[in-house]
């Protein structure tokens, strides 16, 4: 792909973002933040695997069921990558995930879809907001951890699948669009609240975000980060054919 004439190069990484794990992890606070991050990501991937497998039971066709089963398998592979990494750096995956289990379980319980289409919208909207959040953090991580985090955030195909199915459903029955738009707005609010709670409850992660370690954001940048996540959500809603 050609680079546009007006493109600007991204600034070279500095500080911890330019270090490898062996060097960066000598800072105990940074190490604790990364363990928290990997634990949160791992539990999120495990929950995604379980949710997509459940969604497959609601699939209207065998083709849809098989497609979702393949996506669930990809989520579980991501989970294994994260738990393998935690083990490799001498941490217990279960202990790293435990602090985040209740918040994520509460989110999924409060946003249980009532049908196939709501399940697709939830996966597309909720998972995308989480991915945007983790990508923002990844930019501040050491090179080894950043590579792992970005690899497990790779699209499993669920996004395109959800867009195709939801748009087709709205074209066939326009009235469902209003219901799904309300559902997506609720998911957006719940997902952002959950992300903020997770960060607030974990000192190492919150310190990373507001500038204590890993060349973190200042408070103004945290606000801009959530604004960027909201803007990306609006674009995804348009892709689904829904009003933000």
């Amino acid at each position: 792909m050609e680079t546009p004439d007006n493109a600007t190069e991204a600034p070279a990484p500095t500080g911890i973002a330019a270090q490898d794990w062996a060097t960066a992890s000598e800072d105990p606070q940074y190490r604790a933040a990364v363990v928290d991050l990997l634990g949160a990501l791992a539990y999120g991937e495990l929950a995604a695997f379980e949710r997509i497998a459940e969604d497959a039971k609601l699939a209207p066709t065998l083709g849809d069921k098989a497609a979702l089963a393949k996506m669930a398998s990809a989520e579980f592979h991501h989970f294994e990558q994260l738990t393998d990494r935690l083990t490799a750096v001498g941490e217990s995956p279960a202990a790293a995930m435990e602090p985040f289990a209740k918040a994520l379980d509460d989110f999924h319980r409060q946003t249980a879809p009532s049908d196939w289409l709501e399940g697709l919208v939830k996966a597309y909207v909720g998972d995308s907001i989480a991915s945007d959040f983790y990508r923002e953090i990844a930019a501040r991580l050491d090179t080894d951890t950043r590579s792992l985090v970005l690899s497990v955030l790779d699209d499993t195909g669920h996004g395109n699948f959800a867009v195709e199915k939801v748009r087709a459903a709205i074209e066939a029955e326009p009235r469902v669009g209003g219901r799904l738009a309300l559902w997506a707005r609720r998911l957006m609010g719940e997902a952002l609240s959950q992300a903020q709670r997770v960060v607030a409850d974990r000192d190492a992660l919150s310190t990373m975000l507001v500038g204590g370690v890993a060349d973190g954001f200042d408070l103004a940048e945290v606000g801009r980060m959530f604004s960027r996540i909201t803007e990306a959500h609006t674009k995804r809603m348009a892709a689904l054919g829904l009003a933000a």
Side-chain angles (χ1 to χ4, degrees):
M1 181 181 293
E2 294 184 1
T3 303
D5 293 338
N6 61 351
T8 58
E9 292 186 5
T14 60
I16 285 179
Q19 298 174 4
D20 61 13
W21 168 253
T23 303
S25 62
E26 291 178 0
D27 179 341
Q29 191 172 40
Y30 176 75
R31 180 187 177 92
V34 168
V35 170
D36 271 356
L37 179 64
L38 297 183
L41 264 172
Y43 194 79
E45 294 290 346
L46 181 59
F49 160 73
E50 293 176 327
R51 189 191 66 246
I52 295 172
E54 283 295 313
D55 288 347
K57 297 177 182 178
L58 301 173
T61 71
L62 285 175
D64 291 338
K65 187 184 293 288
L68 286 178
K70 183 177 181 180
M71 294 170 201
S73 176
E75 299 287 5
F76 192 77
H77 176 61
H78 290 164
F79 165 75
E80 290 180 313
Q81 288 179 278
L82 291 159
T83 55
D84 286 349
R85 179 56 177 273
L86 284 163
T87 300
V89 300
E91 299 290 339
S92 162
M97 291 188 288
E98 181 62 34
F100 307 99
K102 185 179 185 304
L104 283 165
D105 288 347
D106 286 347
F107 169 74
H108 289 304
R109 185 176 61 255
Q110 292 162 3
T111 58
S114 62
D115 60 20
W116 158 251
L117 290 174
E118 285 191 1
L120 289 178
V121 171
K122 177 180 176 179
Y124 182 58
V125 171
D127 290 355
S128 296
I129 292 170
S131 292
D132 288 345
F133 176 67
Y134 289 124
R135 281 193 174 90
E136 291 276 358
I137 296 176
R140 306 292 173 134
L141 299 174
D142 66 271
T143 55
D144 298 317
T145 304
R146 181 166 66 247
S147 176
L148 172 65
V149 168
L150 292 177
S151 73
V152 301
L153 294 177
D154 279 347
D155 185 14
T156 62
H158 210 160
N160 290 336
F161 181 84
V163 168
E164 176 188 342
K165 299 297 179 180
V166 170
R167 291 190 73 97
I170 293 172
E171 288 174 10
E173 182 55 70
R175 288 182 301 175
V176 306
R179 172 173 67 86
L180 293 178
L182 288 173
W183 172 243
R185 285 196 286 273
R186 178 186 167 195
L187 291 169
M188 175 66 174
E190 293 284 355
L192 286 180
S193 294
Q194 188 243 347
Q196 291 165 342
R197 283 196 303 270
V198 166
V199 172
D201 288 346
R202 304 298 294 175
D203 289 344
L205 273 181
S206 60
T207 301
M208 176 186 284
L209 278 175
V210 298
V213 295
D215 300 328
F217 306 106
D218 58 23
L219 287 173
E221 179 58 21
V222 172
R224 289 190 290 270
M225 175 186 75
F226 281 107
S227 293
R228 289 191 294 270
I229 292 172
T230 301
E231 289 169 7
H233 167 74
T234 300
K235 293 178 181 178
R236 291 191 188 97
M237 291 284 282
L240 285 171
L242 302 174

